[in-house]
Amino acid sequence: MPYHLSASKLQTYSRCPRSYHYRYEMGLPSASFFGAAGLGTALHKTLQQIYGDWHYQAPIPEYEWLESCWLKNSVALSMNQVQEGREILQTYYQQYMVAVGEINRPLALESKIQGTFLAENVEFNLTGRCDRLDWLDDGLELIDYKSAKTVNLPDPTTVDLQIGLYYLALAQRYHKSLKQLSLIFLRTGEKVIFPATAEHMQKVREAIGEIALQLRSDRQWQPCTGDHCKRCSYARYCNAVKDDPEPVPEAEIKPKRQLQLTLAL
Ligand code: SF4
């Protein structure tokens, strides 16, 4: 069985190998920082339907098409949320359809991104997902919709790893380079673009190589302390921040998986 690797796993490892070990190797549950996002989910589904089910026989749809998709996907929301979502879609329509003058059928919508990578004779399955994948003239644009109330940009290391992983996986699947990752903040209409380069892919190759070495060798999973320790679900078990750490409860530890090594010929 190949070893599964996602952008969030890579990000966890780059923040602190020890927390990666607690979370993904020992399988300890982690606190969730995300609450229910009813409006955000409804907006994502609506945009998926707007782009996925439209006929593309005119440069852009009439606004009524967006409204009809919204009505189908917002049935579980309160009246205030329905109105809030409608206003968000009206802004989106003006900015990303009327102002642009033409929309094209996306390459993929709400889809999985998958690839493989071999490092130190360990086979990795790379997985991720995207809200929308578009063709550009000279490559691919990966689009993520954000429905948070404020425009919070992810930290640069996190974005770089995400871009690098997607670059690697998309090149295998589509034989095209990822040109940019775009975040569209639905509430403000703002679009933030992160250009992608082959350097991002190289950094991810190196990061995966490090994980492969850890998996194959003595698995020390060194702690890396910092501000993030304040939000770490495993701080009570960690001797880097606690003089007298609690033992990890045996019942919580998942059985160790056998690492299958692949022989590169
Ligand atoms: S408390 Fe800090 S050093 Fe310890 S596992 Fe968590 S993030 Fe890593």
Side-chain angles (χ1 to χ4, degrees), residues 200-237:
H200 288 102
M201 182 172 68
Q202 188 49 34
K203 273 192 195 163
V204 159
R205 284 171 181 268
E206 288 163 14
I208 298 175
E210 258 189 57
I211 295 177
L213 279 176
Q214 292 262 15
L215 291 169
R216 289 199 56 179
S217 59
D218 51 359
R219 302 186 181 211
Q220 288 182 1
W221 308 106
Q222 292 292 347
C224 175
T225 55
D227 249 11
H228 49 259
C229 295
K230 292 181 197 148
R231 298 182 302 279
C232 178
S233 306
Y234 315 115
R236 60 195 156 140
Y237 309 128

Side-chain angles (χ1 to χ4, degrees), residues 11-231:
Q11 287 154 5
T12 303
Y13 182 83
S14 96
R15 217 175 294 127
C16 172
R18 176 72 61 83
S19 66
Y20 180 99
H21 171 63
Y22 287 134
R23 181 158 181 189
Y24 297 111
E25 289 292 295
M26 296 177 99
L28 301 184
S30 138
S32 171
F33 295 106
F34 306 102
L39 177 59
T41 304
L43 283 166
H44 274 73
K45 286 188 176 161
T46 302
L47 284 161
Q48 183 184 3
Q49 190 177 14
I50 288 168
Y51 284 95
D53 292 356
W54 192 52
H55 52 60
Y56 289 87
Q57 287 164 9
I60 62 168
E62 299 289 330
Y63 176 73
E64 285 64 34
W65 169 243
L66 278 72
E67 176 69 15
S68 71
C69 294
W70 178 236
L71 290 177
K72 280 182 204 144
N73 288 288
S74 59
V75 283
L77 301 181
S78 69
M79 278 173 63
N80 282 351
Q81 285 177 312
V82 171
Q83 184 52 27
E84 198 181 346
R86 178 175 288 124
E87 285 164 17
I88 289 170
L89 285 174
Q90 284 165 352
T91 304
Y92 185 92
Y93 181 64
Q94 289 303 325
Q95 212 161 326
Y96 294 102
M97 294 187 176
V98 175
V100 179
E102 185 181 16
I103 64 167
N104 296 307
R105 192 183 290 281
L107 195 54
L109 287 163
E110 296 278 346
S111 69
K112 272 191 178 172
I113 297 172
Q114 289 177 307
T116 56
F117 186 67
L118 190 67
E120 305 293 336
N121 287 342
V122 180
E123 192 181 355
F124 289 88
N125 257 353
L126 314 177
T127 57
R129 57 165 302 287
C130 69
D131 289 333
R132 197 170 107 208
L133 187 64
D134 281 1
W135 287 113
L136 297 179
D137 290 341
D138 55 350
L140 303 170
E141 179 184 24
L142 203 147
I143 296 172
D144 254 354
Y145 302 120
K146 299 286 177 195
S147 51
K149 288 195 172 156
T150 48
V151 175
N152 283 328
L153 294 183
D155 77 80
T157 312
T158 300
V159 175
D160 284 354
L161 288 171
Q162 193 177 3
I163 291 174
L165 191 81
Y166 290 159
Y167 195 113
L168 193 55
L170 289 170
Q172 289 176 4
R173 169 80 170 77
Y174 295 102
H175 307 289
K176 288 269 181 195
S177 300
L178 177 64
K179 284 292 157 192
Q180 62 193 52
L181 166 67
S182 302
L183 305 182
I184 296 183
F185 291 86
L186 295 171
R187 287 172 192 265
T188 61
E190 207 170 322
K191 180 174 183 177
V192 181
I193 295 172
F194 298 91
T197 66
E199 269 177 49
H200 288 102
M201 182 172 68
Q202 188 49 34
K203 273 192 195 163
V204 159
R205 284 171 181 268
E206 288 163 14
I208 298 175
E210 258 189 57
I211 295 177
L213 279 176
Q214 292 262 15
L215 291 169
R216 289 199 56 179
S217 59
D218 51 359
R219 302 186 181 211
Q220 288 182 1
W221 308 106
Q222 292 292 347
C224 175
T225 55
D227 249 11
H228 49 259
C229 295
K230 292 181 197 148
R231 298 182 302 279

